Amino acid sequence: MATCKECKFLTPSPTGDPTTGVCLVERMQLSVTQKTKTAIRGKMVQKAMEACPKFEAGESWKDIKNLL
């Protein structure tokens, strides 16, 4: 089974811990009156965790602008 470490929505942990990362898969559309159209809610995860149903293979942190 795939792990969070293999998912394109995982970015490095801001704490510097190599075993954790931030999952950026949760997104929500904001109202049209907002300057930004999409909000991304980050969630700290262990890289060794079993991947969630929204898993997509890849390495997002190498080209994060494609996710935004």
Side-chain angles (χ1 to χ4, degrees):
M1 188 71 177
T3 62
C4 289
K5 182 178 180 177
E6 301 161 352
C7 185
K8 78 174 193 177
F9 296 109
L10 187 76
T11 60
S13 171
T15 63
D17 182 355
T19 64
T20 63
V22 179
C23 177
L24 301 177
V25 76
E26 288 293 323
R27 292 146 194 271
M28 61 187 105
Q29 295 299 318
L30 301 176
S31 68
V32 293
T33 59
Q34 297 289 325
K35 194 170 189 177
T36 304
K37 295 180 178 135
T38 305
I40 301 172
R41 189 178 89 186
K43 177 175 118 179
M44 291 289 284
V45 296
Q46 294 291 320
K47 290 181 179 180
M49 287 175 58
E50 188 174 308
C52 73
K54 297 179 181 179
F55 171 83
E56 289 185 36
E59 292 183 277
S60 69
W61 61 272
K62 288 188 176 181
D63 201 6
I64 195 167
K65 67 181 178 221
N66 291 335
L67 289 175
L68 302 177

